Amino acid sequence: MDSSAMAARPPRAIGAGVVAAAALLAGCASTPQLDAQWSDPSLGPSFLRGARVLVACDAFEVVVRQICQDQLAAEVLSRGATPVFLAPGFPVATDRSVDAQLLPAAREAGAKAMMVMTVAVAVQDVSQPIQIGIGGFGFGSSGSAGVGLSAPVGGGRVTSGYSANGRVTEVPTGRLIWTAKATAPPSSDINAQMSDLSKLVLGAADKAGLF
């Protein structure tokens, strides 16, 4: 290609490069996914509809635990069941199964089942300021144009994507009857993540015939 053709086309080439870079960044977005699900083959239809259900979330951070519990309870209520909760300050040891510790409280509350969801960080993303550089541009026989992306080291913000492992336990027998796991992509909006994960997990419970 001669120098006159190169001189006429740089703006278009630069614009195309910027658009391609933006498309590449946008393509990184994703949505929460259901990873796995299991249910007891003997599970009867609408097992939880109209029932009292102890709702609890297990998470390292108190704020995440409370947000998760609120979202989970709202999903249970919207499906025709009655959520009940642990008493404030209920002691839970971290060195053994959480579910087994909750069973006595669920029985005392007259719950038919427990809906417990363990929430933990599954993936983290360090975002860096993206720089779009236009380098080596010039006219003449030695001129060239290029668009490049660079990410400066340091100063990035860490966002977390959570996984949610939900399960339903029959209170009278202590038998696990259903469980599912979902994962959300990294986001700074934890409230939205807990809402999306609760809806996804409870949606799986719908398909399994729990409600």
Side-chain angles (χ1 to χ4, degrees), residues 63-173:
V63 63
V64 174
R65 183 165 65 243
Q66 293 304 122
I67 293 171
C68 167
Q69 182 172 288
D70 288 347
Q71 297 289 351
L72 191 60
E75 293 299 322
V76 168
L77 184 62
S78 71
R79 286 165 171 79
T82 302
V84 295
F85 307 96
L86 297 170
F90 184 88
V92 177
T94 57
D95 60 347
R96 53 185 181 274
S97 170
V98 171
D99 299 44
Q101 298 177 66
L102 304 185
L103 275 172
R107 289 171 181 146
E108 186 176 345
K112 181 179 182 180
M114 299 191 310
M115 169 69 77
V116 182
M117 198 155 78
T118 296
V119 178
V121 173
V123 61
Q124 289 186 318
D125 178 56
V126 180
S127 61
Q128 299 284 359
I130 299 298
Q131 295 179 344
I132 300 178
I134 302 173
F137 180 79
F139 294 96
S141 58
S142 62
S144 62
V147 177
L149 293 178
S150 62
V153 177
R157 186 174 66 173
V158 178
T159 55
S160 299
Y162 287 83
S163 67
N165 187 325
R167 61 263 185 202
V168 173
T169 302
E170 188 179 44
V171 169
T173 63

